[in-house]
Amino acid sequence: MPEASDAPALALAQSSVLPPSEVRNRIHAQYETVITTITSHSLFPHPTLYQMWDFAKRTQYILSELDNIEAGRPVAMAAQIPDYRNNESRPDPEKAKEHMMDVYTRSLTLDMMVKKPSQVLPSMGMQRVAFGNPLKRALKGLMDEFENVEFGE
């Protein structure tokens, strides 16, 4: 049974601004599928596929550190997380929420790279590549996981 002094910590843990861990775990697993699909592509390490792989890996990493950011714990590779300093040891639910939104927008970017390559890739300095149906399916699975995510205000 929790002590009365544990109440604030328990309340914070139960009132997370992040999607439930089950949802984030499914998104993480879908990222693993996307990453595996990219590296299994017959043209990998084509520069565009390599950049997509790097972008997906970094996004998956950001996702994996959201609990630590929310709780104010150190992250393993702070330099890999945009606009984050590891010297803060205070809980920061709003920063975690911002990074969850970043995970979503990065996911949208990957999806748009594949759905509208002629519009998106040149603006990012990337070459066109035939992505194929496996990557399209993997990204659809990833984006489907976000349908139940509520980002709040």
Side-chain angles (χ1 to χ4, degrees), residues 59 99-109 143 146 151:
T59 305
H99 285 297
M100 182 64 214
M101 181 58 80
D102 188 37
V103 167
Y104 176 62
T105 58
R106 292 170 70 94
S107 302
L108 282 172
T109 301
M143 296 313 297
F146 284 99
F151 291 100

Side-chain angles (χ1 to χ4, degrees), residues 13-120:
Q14 293 171 352
S15 64
S16 174
V17 299
L18 298 171
S21 60
E22 300 81 24
V23 172
R24 288 180 283 133
N25 288 342
R26 287 195 310 268
I27 293 169
H28 192 275
Q30 285 297 324
Y31 258 103
E32 199 58 43
T33 300
V34 169
I35 290 163
T36 301
T37 304
I38 291 170
T39 58
S40 299
H41 194 286
S42 63
L43 297 176
F44 189 81
H46 182 281
T48 297
L49 291 169
Y50 183 82
Q51 289 174 336
M52 289 178 73
W53 168 83
D54 181 63
F55 194 75
K57 287 293 282 184
R58 189 177 310 245
T59 305
Q60 186 185 43
Y61 172 68
I62 294 167
L63 179 65
S64 75
E65 290 287 12
L66 292 176
D67 285 326
N68 289 329
I69 294 168
E70 184 178 43
R73 295 185 296 262
V75 300
M77 297 179 283
Q80 299 299 315
I81 301 175
D83 192 35
Y84 183 75
R85 292 177 302 283
N86 211 18
N87 58 357
E88 300 172 27
S89 59
R90 60 178 172 68
D92 198 344
E94 286 307 308
K95 184 59 81 175
K97 187 176 175 180
E98 287 174 26
H99 285 297
M100 182 64 214
M101 181 58 80
D102 188 37
V103 167
Y104 176 62
T105 58
R106 292 170 70 94
S107 302
L108 282 172
T109 301
L110 284 167
D111 192 47
M112 292 306 294
M113 288 172 151
V114 173
K115 283 183 175 174
K116 298 186 178 193
S118 62
Q119 295 173 357
V120 178

